[in-house]
Amino acid sequence: MAKSPDSVPLSELIGGLVADVTGLLRKEIDLAKTEVSEKFTQALNGIEVVIFGLVLAVGAVGVLLSALVAGVAALLVTQGFTETSAGALASLIVGVVIALIAWAMVSRGLTTLRRSSMKLDRTATSLRRDVDVVKEKI
């Protein structure tokens, strides 16, 4: 025979409520874990594709630079250089130009990094304001 709601002791009702809330929280945590795992897997797949694309891009740049060296060498041969010296000089010219571009880009990036401050000025100001407000209330 089922107990009527009026005859159930309060401790039993509270115990049931706690068990239900605990079960609900566990299910919510499990759902969150599953969702985070799915999102992490998606992000990892995206990162893998980006890395593969970057590897191919590096290879493409190498091929293009090789073609540039060959083109400069061919131009130098038409100017009277021997093939050996034209190839060496073309490699040197292209290498120096690419090294200067790389140096300029790295220097610019380092300058930008040096200028940027990692201090969280706005957050610190906001926290100071919050502390002041709390002190006033006390």
Side-chain angles (χ1 to χ4, degrees), residues 8-66:
V8 177
L10 182 61
S11 62
E12 193 175 312
L13 288 173
I14 292 175
L17 179 63
V18 169
D20 290 345
V21 169
T22 303
L24 180 62
L25 287 175
R26 282 190 183 134
K27 288 179 183 176
E28 290 295 333
I29 290 170
D30 289 343
L31 176 62
K33 284 180 184 178
T34 302
E35 191 173 10
V36 166
S37 176
E38 289 172 358
K39 297 293 181 184
F40 183 74
T41 301
Q42 289 173 352
L44 197 57
N45 288 339
I47 289 170
E48 288 172 350
V49 171
V50 167
I51 289 172
F52 187 68
L54 288 173
V55 168
L56 291 178
V58 168
V61 168
V63 169
L64 291 172
L65 289 175
S66 176

Side-chain angles (χ1 to χ4, degrees), residues 118-129:
M118 293 301 181
K119 293 179 183 176
L120 304 175
D121 295 327
R122 290 179 294 190
T123 302
T125 302
S126 178
L127 284 173
R128 271 189 236 109
R129 238 183 282 127

Side-chain angles (χ1 to χ4, degrees), residues 99-127:
L100 288 173
I101 292 170
W103 176 79
M105 292 177 77
V106 168
S107 293
R108 184 176 177 188
L110 289 174
T111 301
T112 302
L113 284 174
R114 283 188 199 115
R115 267 193 246 137
S116 69
S117 174
M118 293 301 181
K119 293 179 183 176
L120 304 175
D121 295 327
R122 290 179 294 190
T123 302
T125 302
S126 178
L127 284 173

